[in-house]
Amino acid sequence: MDTVKTTKTDELKRAKTMEAVVKTESGYDNMELKQIPIPEVTGDKVLLKVAYTGICGTDIHTFKGQYANAVTPLVWAMNFQVKLLKWDQMLKR
């Protein structure tokens, strides 16, 4: 029986969603791990894969609902180390 070897690039092309921590409404906690659509890579946007992540004081205050300006739904995306996966040809170096 022949086996087909798939690469991470093949998996990325097939993937339509990704996991994200989403603050669903204001107030204490109200956070969920959700599947959300993978953003399109166009123009000056790039697709990153998170390798490591951490939390900071802003994250804790947002979790506790202490920031009234946190517009929900809010996808958390800060304090991380990433790998560049995909970019548009329009992106200038």
Side-chain angles (χ1 to χ4, degrees):
M1 179 185 299
D2 292 332
T3 59
V4 177
K5 184 176 180 181
T6 61
T7 65
K8 293 289 182 188
T9 303
D10 294 332
E11 292 173 19
L12 179 62
K13 287 178 184 176
R14 286 194 301 271
K16 302 289 183 213
T17 63
M18 64 182 194
E19 287 185 327
V21 175
V22 180
K23 185 154 181 80
T24 56
E25 58 186 88
S26 61
Y28 188 85
D29 192 4
N30 299 322
M31 297 176 65
E32 298 176 22
L33 182 61
K34 294 183 135 195
Q35 291 290 325
I36 64 171
I38 294 175
E40 290 292 319
V41 176
T42 59
D44 63 351
K45 297 184 179 182
V46 297
L47 181 61
L48 305 172
K49 179 177 181 174
V50 176
Y52 302 96
T53 189
I55 62 171
C56 70
T58 301
D59 298 331
I60 293 168
H61 292 294
T62 303
F63 173 83
K64 291 180 175 181
Q66 295 171 334
Y67 285 134
N69 62 347
V71 178
T72 57
L74 171 68
V75 176
W76 285 21
M78 54 191 283
N79 301 314
F80 50 81
Q81 180 182 12
V82 299
K83 179 178 181 182
L84 181 61
L85 293 180
K86 188 175 178 183
W87 57 92
D88 189 275
Q89 292 178 352
M90 296 298 292
L91 186 65
K92 301 209 189 286
R93 292 182 183 230

